[in-house]
Amino acid sequence: MQRVGQSSLGLGRVFAVTTTPAGGRARPSRVRYRSTRSTNSSPRLDLRGIDVKWQQRWAAIRPDSPTSTGEPARGSKCFVLPMFPYPSGALHMGHVRVYTIADVLARFKRMRGLDVIHPMAWDAFGLPAENAAIERGVDPETWTKGNIAKMKEQLMEMNGSWDWSREFMTCDPSFYKHTQRIFLLLHERGLAYQAESLVNYDPVDKTVLANEQVDSNGCSWRSGARVEKRRLKQWFLRITAFKEALLEDLDTLADDGNWPERVISMQKNWLGKSKGAQVCFSISAVNEAGTAGSTEVMAFTTRPDTLFGVQYLALGVDHPLVLKLAKSSPELQSFLDAVPTLPPDSKDGWLLKGVHATNPLAFLSDMPNVVKEPLPVYVAPYVLGDYGYGAVMGVPGHDNRDYAFWRENRWTDPTREVVAPTNAARLSLTDGPFNDPGVLTSLCGPFASLTSAVASEKLISELNSAGLGQFVDSWKIRDWLISRQRYWGTPIPMIHCDGCGPVPVPVDQLPVELPKLEGVWLRGKGGNPLQDVPEWVNTSCPSCGGPAKRDTDTMDTFVDSSWYFARFPDPHNSTAPFSPESANAALPVDIYIGGVEHAILHLLYARFISKFLASTSLWPSGNTPTDKAEPFRKLITQGMVHGKTYTEPSTGRFLKPAELNLSNPDSPTFVLPNGERVEASVSYEKMSKSKYNGVDPGAFIKKYGADATRAHVLFSAPVSEVLEWDGGRIVGVQRWFGKVWRVVKAVREELEQTAASDAIFSGPLDPSSLPPQAAFLWRIVQETTRDVTTALETTYSLNTTISTLMLLTNAISTPLNNHTISLPTIYHSLSTLLHLLTPIAPAFASECWEHLHLPFSHPNIQPNILVSPWPAYNPLPTNNTVPDLTCVVQVNGKLRFTTMFSPGPPRELAGEELKDWLVERLEGSEEGKKYLVRREKPKRVVVARGGKVVNFVFTHPFRGIKDEASRL
């Protein structure tokens, strides 16, 4: 047992504090702080052992929720939700990052007295599990549930506080029963419908393929079969019915930065509202027999002022007119079949011989002859069939894509410029098209010299009078195609009857469960096997009772994730997706955390389904003026985790860890085939097996402990930025935890040796009676409390939270080591530190708290720090109208000492006057005489942050007191 006056802390760093009395003159504190080291070396802190101990302790509190800490509901709700994982079988560092962020915020909100919902579930359907089943000959359900068990075990190693009593998996019939119910609700409202769609179709695997699943030769990535373009009946959800609300309510989400600006912008672009005009082109065609025919084609343009410059009409490959003509033209059909093999930016085109278009301006009076010329009509892959009307009026003089297409297909014909700049000389069109608004040229007849805006209004007004055009809005967004010709997904609850057509499955017959599959499919046959299970497919019509067949498509897995968040408040409801009472009480989600890669599809679909649900009896209070039926109030998008990647400089080949010599981490080397040893190139890239740069989170946690891993992940980068993973830097967190532990041990020893421990535990400090040194420390404690609270509640700057807590640890350890501040101040400062640390390192903070109080019994000691109230910010009272000032003093950019002026400088001081006030007092202080008073005057003095930082810049470096004395 040490005597009072000794310390076991080895802090290894001088930390000097001076205080300034009311007279305004700085004076040194009576005792100069210095570090000492214990002669007895203590065993290394076993962070992994602490994890295991507290995980077992928490499991005993509530066995049904293994990582629960038994926190009671104490106030208003707070729903904190990370995006749920796909059960691939192993966590990666991206999982660790997002679930750490979410758990820290959930624990913080709980300590703030809120009733926190912080659940976990599994996005369990999807193509990867089905492919694994095909490759391995196993049931995808078996594969998926095995992976869930593995990942759940890994998650429970992270010291998270997930409420496992709310857990579900989307592949469970008890969940997808309600996905089917929501589909039927959409169908009742006309928001789920079946229509033909042009798709990539694999004739061997008999399934629709995404564009990414077709190789450069137009073949299936799996079967190798030539991909066909087919028009298939597919199921759609009418998301376009909510397009205006989806766009307008983004402004609500943008308020106060609740959603990142980047995500808002991406969703606006995806919705793609454009203001423009619809114009009608007349099409005439002469077939091989010489028979003429005519039709009309609508085109959308955002630049009606360029109508005089139309030189061709381009139709998309799935335009109805193109498909009709292809039936009688094998050459055109061959071109359409080859389209999937073309690069995305292809400007190839197919001229429709004998087909011409007429500019709608030709039907107006007093138009120039240039608009009356017949226009060639092309089939062009660059025209998007699902935007506008699948037709583009080609204006090569004023559009980059049209210009490139014209150069590719009509390189001998000049382009026509009909809009010129207003105040600048125009370069030749060989330099490219002029895309900006301007004034119309002489080619535009009676509209010449009008500005683009005026000309557009007049042109569309005249076309509207003739029935040939009108102003309209166009949207990029199209209805959501949810049909998938695969097995492992939610069956679409529809029955097809020859007499009645598509008939919904009665609600009391839900769920329509996936049948168990055996045999050929599990040995490698791809595609959708449901159509080959007659005992499942064949059924009776719910309407007429006659023979009928089930729909064999399954739903896009985004349908599951579009509503899963609403299931958590009522996860065991067997009769409805959730009750209105639970939805009204818990929705929307208060804080949603996930990767920015989900900014479009998942988040947009969830917003759509949320708005739909709020229009039903399921969520009657959803569409409030403040929430507007949005699913997520606050969205935090964390950056990706990149791993250190080593490559061969000459070839870019990724190097395996076994190939590298990392004895000098700053200069990794490897051996070439010729025996030459060279230095590897080092970069940070997205973690992947092919780059050999992945990190196993489980192994890392087992080595360093979950709490240290959590703190390291938070400390390494701001939440929204890419985290460049460097596991070696965790040593900084280990040292910090070691210092906190030594402080806890030392304070407990001091408490054991004092007779006043009960008085210390009995109540809070009285800040107004603290002496200057203690007031200085308490001010740091309060400022840290304020900053950490702000970070966890508003700014989410979790990396600076770690550094702030490190500084507070140093501020407590130094006076404790030197016994210059009373034990009550030290104890309450340490208590605040441990509370602020708890959300980040719950097991370590719990261990410190228990060790600190183990010998004592007092009603004010909360046995479980996890349920202790969050520290309140109570700034020190001041008797002065002028606030105190804590000043950090640097010499040539290096910290030398910290001092406090009480009171601080007069409020009116600024600029040179403030600098003079500070320099006079700093140079007159004891520490100032040591570091600032020299034979030479400072080259300059830089005052920052209103005097909180003062940097003295000298020409010659400071080499110590003796050296300076010799110079003097």
Side-chain angles (χ1 to χ4, degrees), residues 24 33 47 136 159 465:
Y33 303 146
L47 293 173
R136 295 166 176 81
N159 291 346
S465 299

Side-chain angles (χ1 to χ4, degrees), residues 503-534:
V503 180
V505 173
V507 173
D508 60 5
Q509 293 181 21
L510 298 180
V512 177
E513 294 193 38
L514 288 169
K516 293 289 184 181
L517 297 176
E518 299 176 356
V520 175
W521 182 75
L522 293 180
R523 292 196 296 270
K525 182 179 182 297
N528 184 357
L530 292 178
Q531 58 194 7
D532 299 324
V533 186

Side-chain angles (χ1 to χ4, degrees), residues 275-288:
K275 291 188 175 296
Q278 165 194 298
V279 292
C280 178
F281 286 80
S282 176
I283 303 290
S284 60
V286 179
N287 60 21
E288 293 179 354

